[in-house]
Amino acid sequence: MTHLATYPGTVSSSVLERPSSPVTGPAPLRLGALTVEPAVVLAPMAGITNPAFRTLCREFGAGLYVCEMITTRALVERNEKTLQMVRATPDEEDAFSVQLYGVDPATVGRAVEMLVDEGVAGTRPAHVDLNFGCPVPKVTRKGGGSALPWRRVLFRDIVRAAVRAARDVPVTVKTRIGIDADHVTYLDAGRIAQDEGAAAITLHGRTADQLYSGTADWAPIARLVEAVDIPVLGNGDVWEADDALRMVAETGCAGVVIGRGCLGRPWLFGDLAAAFAGETRRALPTLREVAAVMHRHAALLSEGQGERHGCTDFRKHVAWYLKGFSVGSDVRRALAMVSALDELAELLAGIPDQPYPEAVLGGPRGRTSPPRPVALPEGWLADRDDPRPPAGAELLVSGG
């Protein structure tokens, strides 16, 4: 595990006070034969959770690290980019985790068969997750992602096909509260997923029309815990390890799924491991230490993509890593145009060291957007029991 300078128990802004005695997290998460300890899962994020980022996060703490979302149609069609995206790294051989997106039960089943039986990932996955939570318009307007659980029979058929094809590999489901406040789906989705043999379900505490705006509502997570017997994982607004402890305490969830909170902060997984073990230490790296992590991240990307492409891919992470630090706009612009590791190292070395900006702790990271009506196929809401896959809904290219 990578070690950073630590500090004793800084409290995130979303926690009113720290308990006087240490608080521990949930028990290890069991998904079939797979044990996840601590019960922490990296959420799939398009363009982010590639092999380099998964490796970096794993170096800081244990957990389950899921690859970018893979579309089942692209996998079945053996799209070259998709086949590359679904490759496991050497240190993922025992716990390679894949998230699939699909709207057709037959295609989803075939994609799972390819992963489990044909080894198209280079190694047999230890876990398959199904995406029913994506809120972006290009997905929902075709009935996919967070729009799909409204069609509960179709949802059932997709989960059933995946579980049967996966055989002994655990299948989980990730979803949202619903399409909007008038079209709530999470309780039905949880019960159906359980009945069809899903090993767990993750609930993001927002509706699709909220996108990533406002504050996540954790109350439905608690209600889902009461409604089903399978493990429920909580997702939404876990910015600090203490937020994770609070989510577990308030909802009774069996673990947490971390998305935007780790952007520019892969050491959050070390904080989570410590928090779940009852320890109060939290990482508070200096800028010099953050710079070392930045260079490591870029180097890992370069190993997989070549130096120029790797450094170009790294550019989007710069603002997240440097959030709150005092860094001149000219240096930030130069870092956002970096194309070589030596260039990156030189620019980072020229920034004076400084303590971590505690003011940014507990605050949102990554994308935000105002609420907006969900784009749906025509007539999508008319019949919840229509089992037909939406016409033309399959996406060929993965990562969305």
Side-chain angles (χ1 to χ4, degrees), residues 127-193:
H127 164 242
V128 173
D129 187 53
L130 300 178
N131 183 303
F132 298 106
C134 182
V136 301
K138 74 173 183 178
V139 170
T140 61
R141 72 166 49 99
K142 295 187 175 183
S146 51
L148 199 141
W150 180 257
R151 293 286 181 92
R152 53 195 170 198
V153 175
L154 178 60
F155 174 83
R156 179 204 66 191
D157 291 347
I158 292 173
V159 177
R160 178 180 294 174
V163 170
R164 289 180 177 176
R167 294 185 288 128
D168 60 324
V169 173
V171 173
T172 60
V173 167
K174 187 172 189 289
T175 190
R176 286 193 170 221
I177 295 171
I179 293 174
D180 52 37
D182 295 323
H183 301 90
V184 172
T185 57
Y186 74 97
L187 289 174
D188 280 345
R191 295 185 186 105
I192 292 169

Side-chain angles (χ1 to χ4, degrees), residues 212-265:
Y212 297 93
S213 66
T215 301
D217 182 2
W218 294 352
I221 299 173
R223 287 193 284 271
L224 185 58
V225 169
E226 295 176 354
V228 299
D229 296 323
I230 59 175
V232 175
L233 305 181
N235 178 227
D237 293 3
V238 177
W239 310 117
E240 306 293 338
D242 297 288
D243 296 332
L245 290 176
R246 185 166 59 90
M247 175 183 275
V248 171
E250 290 183 7
T251 69
C253 64
V256 296
V257 176
I258 306 299
R260 294 174 296 155
C262 67
L263 295 176
R265 297 180 65 219

Side-chain angles (χ1 to χ4, degrees), residues 206 210-214 237 239 260 323 364-371:
R206 287 181 172 88
Q210 290 180 285
L211 295 172
Y212 297 93
S213 66
D237 293 3
W239 310 117
R260 294 174 296 155
K323 183 175 182 177
R365 306 180 73 85
R367 58 186 168 180
T368 58
S369 50

Side-chain angles (χ1 to χ4, degrees), residues 20 35 58 66 124 158 171 174 195 220 226 290 295 324 339 359 362 391:
S20 57
T35 299
R58 187 176 291 103
V66 187
R124 195 171 189 256
I158 292 173
V171 173
K174 187 172 189 289
D195 291 346
E226 295 176 354
V290 172
H295 194 273
S339 57

Side-chain angles (χ1 to χ4, degrees), residues 33-34 44 48 54 73 93 116 134 161 176 201 246 248 347 371 392:
L34 178 64
I48 304 294
R54 300 197 306 269
R73 168 68 183 277
E93 290 182 356
V116 172
C134 182
R176 286 193 170 221
I201 182 168
R246 185 166 59 90
V248 171
L347 287 167

Side-chain angles (χ1 to χ4, degrees), residues 298-299 301-302 305-316 318 335-344:
L301 286 168
S302 298
Q305 305 178 29
E307 186 169 352
R308 184 172 184 83
H309 284 100
C311 288
T312 300
D313 194 7
F314 176 73
R315 295 173 184 173
K316 62 175 170 277
V318 169
L335 286 167
M337 297 177 66
V338 72
S339 57
L341 291 172
D342 287 346
E343 179 188 2
L344 175 63

Side-chain angles (χ1 to χ4, degrees), residues 267-331:
W267 53 86
L268 176 60
F269 290 98
D271 283 355
L272 287 159
F276 278 22
E279 301 174 16
T280 58
R281 64 178 177 83
R282 305 288 184 266
L284 192 66
T286 65
L287 180 55
R288 185 70 59 237
E289 291 172 313
V290 172
V293 177
M294 293 173 71
H295 194 273
R296 169 67 173 157
H297 191 170
L300 287 168
L301 286 168
S302 298
E303 287 177 14
Q305 305 178 29
E307 186 169 352
R308 184 172 184 83
H309 284 100
C311 288
T312 300
D313 194 7
F314 176 73
R315 295 173 184 173
K316 62 175 170 277
H317 296 272
V318 169
W320 294 325
Y321 276 111
L322 297 182
K323 183 175 182 177
F325 283 108
S326 179
V327 180
S329 57
D330 55 338
V331 177

